[in-house]
């Protein structure tokens, strides 16, 4: 803290030969809070006889500049999570503190849901005058936040430090809660989608027999979260999680109707879609796949198989439309073709195909819109429908979901890299 050189007339009075300039006043920064011990020493002049001297010792109570408070309860409530508690910022004791809730893990976690629940301004009779600050009683919160998580989840609640003041955001507490599952049934069509909710995990898109389109988020456990309705009127449509087709920074959805018209449903974030617009026609009898960017220009592309089994590439323009078709393969009659994401970790998107014998094959992308020769990646897929191309667990590896069409059971196959997958895990029934 430097030297004692401030004027002190009382020192000169007690020690006339010493003069007045031997006082000190300083504020020492510390990260410690609460009751702490303080010791103050005067250092002996180097090279002179004598020792360092303890001038004073005692304890002081330090109040942090960061918000403080408590998370009181966390409970499941009507498909959401109810959190209660209180928070105060000592820099602005009369103001209400902004509260954030994270469902699924801490703020730094994988695939966590972040929810700004507003400010802590409810009356709490138990707060009164804590820590000697006259903060009043209006610093409580009691809010139910929506969530797409299911199963046993960790919930973390933070109080945000007031902008422009010293201190940091404070974790008020964390608790676990069990949230009931809520999945579609009677699924007519399903596919995987990259992260439409911007939370780090991909999703499954499912159309039920009533034509309702549902978004079902993945979770790090491999299980699926709660369904969220994206739209209606999708009966007998092929739906694709296409990535960001229109270059607005949000994942979109493509849908091919029975009349051969292709529609773009722009994503609005937070599991919702904007009004669709037509981006193509003449696709009757075709099978389409939305494999992401195949030619390395950063814009998602489209693959289509016509009635003769010829495979075409439609390069995306980045505005929701596509350039004219380019043939990139043939002999695909009787095959099921799927987007696969980057299965082998080379930075280029691949595709998967199931032949009429039920054998699963990988076609590694070259990065120019074409593919290397097929490599068998599995067998026994007869009677299964797949969805692939998305990282459902947030580990950076593409996964597969597969439905046994006879039983309606849906399985998860966790990607292990190099186009290999873990053993199947049952994640839903009634599909």
């Amino acid at each position: 803290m430097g030297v004692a050189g401030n004027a002190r007339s009382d020192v000169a009075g007690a020690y006339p030969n010493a003069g007045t300039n031997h006082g000190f006043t300083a504020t020492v920064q510390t990260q410690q809070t609460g009751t702490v011990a303080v010791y103050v020493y005067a250092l002996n002049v180097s090279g002179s006889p004598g020792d360092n001297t303890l001038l004073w010792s005692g304890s002081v109570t330090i109040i942090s500049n960061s918000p403080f408070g408590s998370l009181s309860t966390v409970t499941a409530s009507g498909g959401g999570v109810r959190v209660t508690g209180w928070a105060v910022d000592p820099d602005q004791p009369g103001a209400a503190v902004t509260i954030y809730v994270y469902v699924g893990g801490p703020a730094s976690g994988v695939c966590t849901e972040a929810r700004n629940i507003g400010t802590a301004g409810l009356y709490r009779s138990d707060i009164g005058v804590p820590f000697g600050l006259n903060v009043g009683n209006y610093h409580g919160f009691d809010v139910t936040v929506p969530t797409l998580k299911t199963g046993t989840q960790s919930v973390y609640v933070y109080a945000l430090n007031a902008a422009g003041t010293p201190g940091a955001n404070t974790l008020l507490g964390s608790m676990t809660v069990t949230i009931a599952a809520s999945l579609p049934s009677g699924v007519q069509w399903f596919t995987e989608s990259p992260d439409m909710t911007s939370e780090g995990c991909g999703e499954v898109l499912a159309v039920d027999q009533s034509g309702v389109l549902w978004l079902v988020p993945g979770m790090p456990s491999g299980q699926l979260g709660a369904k969220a309705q994206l739209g209606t009127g999708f009966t007998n449509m092929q739906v694709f999680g296409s990535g960001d087709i229109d270059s607005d920074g949000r994942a979109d959805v493509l849908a091919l109707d029975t009349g051969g018209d292709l529609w773009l449903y722009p994503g609005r974030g937070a599991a919702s879609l904007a009004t669709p617009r037509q981006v193509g026609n003449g696709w009757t009898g075709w099978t389409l796949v939305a494999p992401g960017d195949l030619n390395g220009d950063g814009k998602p592309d489209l693959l289509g198989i016509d009635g003769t089994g010829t495979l075409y590439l439609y390069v995306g323009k980045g505005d929701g439309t596509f350039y004219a078709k380019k043939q990139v393969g043939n002999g695909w009659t009787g095959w099921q073709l799927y987007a696969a994401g980057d299965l082998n970790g080379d930075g280029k998107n691949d595709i998967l195909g199931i032949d009429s014998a039920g054998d699963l094959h990988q076609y590694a992308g070259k990065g120019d819109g074409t593919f290397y020769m097929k490599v068998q990646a599995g067998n026994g897929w007869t009677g299964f429908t797949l969805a692939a191309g998305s990282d459902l667990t947030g580990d950076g590896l593409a996964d597969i979901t597969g439905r046994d069409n006879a039983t309606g059971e849906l399985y998860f196959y966790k990607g292990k890299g190099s186009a290999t997958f873990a053993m199947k895990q049952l994640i839903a029934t009634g599909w």
Side-chain angles (χ1 to χ4, degrees):
M1 56 175 282
V3 298
N6 294 346
R8 285 282 299 260
S9 59
D10 55 334
V11 173
Y15 303 95
N17 294 330
T20 61
N21 295 330
H22 295 283
F24 60 87
T25 300
T27 299
V28 179
Q29 299 298 318
T30 178
Q31 298 296 317
Q32 298 191 51
T33 59
T35 301
V36 298
V38 178
Y39 293 79
V40 181
Y41 291 86
L43 271 60
N44 190 61
V45 175
S46 178
S48 66
D51 297 308
N52 300 334
T53 300
L54 175 63
L55 301 179
W56 181 87
S57 67
S59 61
V60 297
T61 299
I62 303 173
I63 298 176
S64 170
N65 290 105
S66 300
F68 60 88
S70 176
L71 174 62
S72 301
T73 64
V74 175
T75 55
S77 176
V81 175
R82 181 185 178 189
V83 294
T84 68
W86 62 272
V88 175
D89 191 326
D91 295 312
Q92 298 181 357
V97 178
T98 298
I99 304 297
Y100 262 76
V101 175
Y102 287 79
V103 182
S108 59
V110 176
C111 302
T112 57
E113 294 176 337
R115 301 285 186 262
N116 181 346
I117 67 171
T119 58
L122 298 182
Y123 181 80
R124 285 283 298 252
S125 61
D126 55 331
I127 298 175
V129 188
F131 298 94
L133 291 175
N134 186 18
V135 300
N137 296 101
Y138 289 89
H139 294 281
F141 58 87
D142 182 346
V143 177
T144 299
V145 297
T147 180
L148 295 179
K149 301 291 186 184
T150 60
T152 300
Q153 299 291 336
S154 298
V155 179
Y156 287 71
V157 179
Y158 296 82
L160 270 59
N161 190 60
T165 66
N169 299 338
T170 298
L171 174 63
L172 298 178
S174 65
M175 298 182 183
T176 59
V177 64
T178 300
I179 307 166
S182 174
L183 294 173
S185 60
V187 173
Q188 181 185 83
W189 175 278
F190 70 100
T191 187
E192 290 184 8
S193 172
D195 188 11
M196 291 192 70
T197 58
S198 303
E199 289 164 355
C201 284
E203 299 96 9
V204 173
L205 301 179
V207 179
D208 67 19
Q209 293 175 348
S210 299
V212 178
L213 175 62
W214 301 96
L215 178 145
V216 189
M219 297 190 296
S221 65
Q223 296 291 328
L224 295 177
K227 65 184 180 182
Q229 184 172 321
L230 288 179
T232 59
F234 287 87
T235 301
N236 296 323
M237 297 180 78
Q238 299 179 40
V239 177
F240 312 96
S242 57
D244 182 16
I245 290 287
D246 57 5
S247 304
D248 67 351
R250 293 170 290 196
D252 309 309
V253 171
L254 286 173
L256 180 65
D257 67 21
T258 54
D261 295 330
L262 184 65
W263 299 86
L264 170 65
Y265 292 76
R268 297 189 298 184
S272 63
L273 300 175
T275 302
R277 59 185 174 93
Q278 188 174 343
V279 293
N281 54 40
W283 296 84
T284 303
W286 285 64
T287 298
L288 298 186
V289 177
D293 175 26
L294 291 177
N295 65 351
D297 65 356
K299 302 166 185 173
D301 306 312
L302 197 63
L303 290 173
I305 302 175
D306 68 10
T308 68
T310 303
L311 180 65
Y312 293 96
L313 168 69
Y314 293 80
V315 174
K317 295 181 180 180
D319 61 358
T321 63
F322 302 89
Y323 292 103
K325 65 185 180 183
K326 171 186 175 183
Q327 184 175 340
V328 292
N330 53 41
W332 288 87
T333 301
W335 282 67
Q336 301 173 47
L337 184 62
Y338 300 98
D342 178 16
L343 289 176
N344 57 6
D346 65 354
K348 304 176 180 70
N349 283 335
D350 312 312
I351 56 175
L352 289 171
I354 300 177
D355 64 19
S356 57
D359 294 333
L360 178 67
H361 301 274
Q362 177 206 6
Y363 292 79
K366 296 181 178 180
D368 61 359
T370 62
F371 304 91
Y372 292 103
M373 295 295 293
K374 67 184 179 183
V375 176
Q376 187 168 342
N379 54 39
W381 290 91
T382 301
F384 271 74
T385 298
L386 297 190
S390 181
D391 172 19
L392 295 177
T393 63
D395 64 356
L397 301 173
D399 307 307
I400 289 178
T401 47
R403 179 182 64 188
D404 185 328
N405 295 328
T407 66
E409 293 175 330
L410 185 69
Y411 294 94
F412 170 71
Y413 300 80
K414 184 177 178 62
K416 299 195 296 183
S418 302
T420 60
F421 302 89
M423 294 295 292
K424 66 183 180 182
Q425 171 186 348
L426 180 65
I427 57 174
T429 57
W431 277 58

